[in-house]
C-alpha cells in the first residue's frame, strides 16, 4: 500500500511533499488533490511511468494523459509557439479548472498516449499540488479512478480505486465538486470546447467570443 500523508498537518505536509517528489523521481505514481478532483500523477517525461498510470486506470493510449504545471510561464517551454487564444484563456482562468490543448514542441521527450503532437495542459488552483509541481516539473495527471468509474473527490476514494498502484498519497482534504476541468482545443483556426466542466462555456465566451462547442 501507498504511504499516506495528512497534509493538513504542516510536518506531514512537508514529509509528504518530500516523499512524493522522490516517488516521482523513481518513476512511481502519486495520488494527490487538484482543485477539481483527486488525481494520479506520474513523471510526464518518463514513458514507463505514464504507461504505469494508464495501466493503473485500465485506460488505453487513445485518451492521452493531460499535464499539470506549477506556473503559467511553464506553458511557453512546452510549445514552439503559444497560440494567442491560449494566452488569453490562461491569463483569465489559470490557475483553475481549464485545460488547454496545444501543439507541443517536437523536441520534448515524452509519450503521453496517441496525442498526435498535441498536449493538454492545466495550471491547477491547489497550492499543495503546485508545491509538488515546482519540485518535479510538469506531471502527467489523470483523475484518480479506474476507467469508467466516478472520479475520486477525497483521498480515501482515490486509495480505494488506485492505492495498490501508487507509492504516495497526499491527502489535501475533500473536494467540494466532482466536476472535471473544461477542455478547450487551441490548435485549430478557432478554439473549440472538447469537454464541458468546471469553467462554464458562457464564461469562456466572454474572453474568446469565437469559441465553438
Amino acid at each position: 500500500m501507498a504511504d499516506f500523508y495528512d497534509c493538513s498537518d504542516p510536518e506531514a505536509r512537508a514529509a509528504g511533499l518530500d516523499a512524493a517528489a522522490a516517488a516521482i523521481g523513481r518513476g512511481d505514481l502519486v495520488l494527490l488533490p487538484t482543485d477539481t478532483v483527486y488525481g494520479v500523477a506520474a513523471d510526464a517525461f518518463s514513458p514507463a511511468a505514464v504507461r504505469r498510470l494508464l495501466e493503473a486506470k485500465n485506460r488505453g493510449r487513445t485518451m492521452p494523459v493531460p499535464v499539470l504545471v506549477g506556473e503559467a510561464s511553464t506553458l511557453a517551454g512546452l510549445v514552439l509557439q503559444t497560440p494567442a487564444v491560449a494566452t488569453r484563456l490562461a491569463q483569465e482562468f489559470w490557475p483553475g479548472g481549464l485545460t488547454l490543448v496545444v501543439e507541443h514542441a517536437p523536441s520534448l521527450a515524452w509519450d503521453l498516449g496517441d496525442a498526435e503532437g498535441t498536449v493538454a495542459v492545466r495550471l491547477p488552483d491547489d497550492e499543495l499540488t503546485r508545491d509538488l509541481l515546482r519540485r518535479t516539473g510538469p506531471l502527467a495527471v489523470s483523475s484518480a479512478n479506474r476507467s469508467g468509474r466516478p472520479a475520486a473527490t477525497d483521498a480515501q476514494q482515490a486509495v480505494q480505486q488506485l492505492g495498490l498502484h501508487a507509492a504516495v498519497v497526499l491527502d489535501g482534504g475533500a473536494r467540494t465538486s466532482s466536476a472535471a476541468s473544461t477542455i478547450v482545443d487551441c490548435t485549430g483556426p478557432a478554439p473549440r470546447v472538447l469537454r464541458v466542466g468546471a469553467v462554464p462555456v458562457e464564461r469562456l465566451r466572454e474572453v474568446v467570443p469565437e469559441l465553438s462547442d
Side-chain angles (χ1 to χ4, degrees), residues 105-183:
S107 59
L108 291 180
W110 59 16
D111 181 4
L112 303 167
D114 297 334
E116 299 181 348
T118 68
V119 61
V121 185
R122 188 165 82 85
L123 175 65
D125 191 12
D126 185 277
E127 279 305 310
L128 175 61
T129 292
R130 288 184 68 184
D131 279 350
L132 178 60
L133 287 160
R134 292 180 183 112
R135 297 187 185 202
T136 63
L139 293 176
V141 180
S142 183
S143 55
N145 59 285
R146 295 282 286 176
S147 185
R149 296 185 60 185
T153 56
D154 62 37
Q156 291 297 340
Q157 292 177 12
V159 169
Q160 288 167 9
Q161 298 201 53
L162 297 180
L164 292 176
H165 301 276
V168 173
V169 181
L170 300 180
D171 182 0
R175 307 294 92 174
T176 58
S177 171
S178 61
S181 66
T182 298
I183 302 177

Side-chain angles (χ1 to χ4, degrees), residues 69-106:
V69 295
E71 302 292 345
S73 58
T74 304
L75 178 62
L78 303 179
V79 299
L80 285 178
Q81 184 174 3
T82 308
V85 67
T87 299
R88 284 152 58 196
L89 288 168
Q91 288 174 341
E92 182 68 25
F93 297 106
W94 279 7
L98 178 65
T99 298
L100 301 175
V101 177
V102 294
E103 295 180 357
H104 69 72

Side-chain angles (χ1 to χ4, degrees), residues 11-50:
E11 290 187 5
R13 186 184 194 277
L17 285 169
D18 287 344
I24 293 294
R26 295 192 304 268
D28 291 333
L29 304 182
V30 172
L31 302 180
L32 44 69
T34 76
D35 48 336
T36 53
V37 296
Y38 269 72
V40 53
D43 180 356
F45 296 98
S46 169
V50 174

